[in-house]
Amino acid sequence: MERTRVYLYQTTFNTSYTDKRDSIVLPTNVKKVVGICPNLTRGTGYISVVNEKTNDILVNQARVSDDNGHWNEKNIPVLNRPEANNLFYVFRMINGEKERKNDCVLKIYVTYLEE
């Protein structure tokens, strides 16, 4: 029986950086990735998410901003079988609150099916 779970990847970075690249290490019981919901505080930018091993593009330059949009509005449906692989993302900031000297918080919610 398949169950739907949500994995949260969270990272902070300084607003003086213009881009960030990193891996999202998924749990071992992931069968299918069915949705990705990026969220950003204190800034605006674009994010791309790919499968590390196969280079399948899951999300291509989706706009991420500091808003209070509902999960259903921001969730991006995808269908990918990671097969024990990780995801890789590239985030490019276009506008950050540099005057406040605060760190941005990037959250990526990965919805997946497990057995």
Side-chain angles (χ1 to χ4, degrees):
M1 181 173 163
E2 293 181 341
R3 289 184 288 184
T4 303
R5 301 279 183 175
V6 177
Y7 174 76
L8 171 63
Y9 172 83
Q10 181 174 340
T11 185
T12 60
F13 54 95
N14 196 329
T15 55
S16 62
Y17 292 114
T18 57
D19 65 345
K20 177 137 176 99
R21 303 160 191 244
D22 202 4
S23 291
I24 302 172
V25 180
L26 296 174
T28 58
N29 56 353
V30 174
K31 184 177 178 184
K32 279 191 249 182
V33 175
V34 294
I36 295 177
C37 181
N39 189 19
L40 179 71
T41 58
R42 299 182 194 97
T44 304
Y46 291 96
I47 191 166
S48 297
V49 181
V50 298
N51 188 326
E52 270 189 351
K53 192 171 184 182
T54 62
N55 291 330
D56 292 337
I57 298 173
L58 304 179
V59 176
N60 191 12
Q61 293 187 352
R63 184 175 174 86
V64 184
S65 61
D66 190 5
D67 59 2
N68 292 328
H70 192 267
W71 170 280
N72 292 335
E73 295 173 2
K74 296 166 66 172
N75 196 22
I76 302 167
V78 298
L79 181 59
N80 189 289
R81 295 180 189 271
E83 299 172 5
N85 297 329
N86 296 326
L87 302 179
F88 182 79
Y89 73 90
V90 177
F91 173 74
R92 172 76 62 183
M93 181 175 287
I94 57 173
N95 185 14
E97 295 181 6
K98 295 180 181 176
E99 65 275 357
R100 294 179 63 189
K101 301 290 184 195
N102 289 333
D103 290 338
C104 288
V105 179
L106 176 64
K107 295 179 183 179
I108 301 173
Y109 298 93
V110 179
T111 307
Y112 65 92
L113 298 176
E114 71 175 6
E115 291 184 18

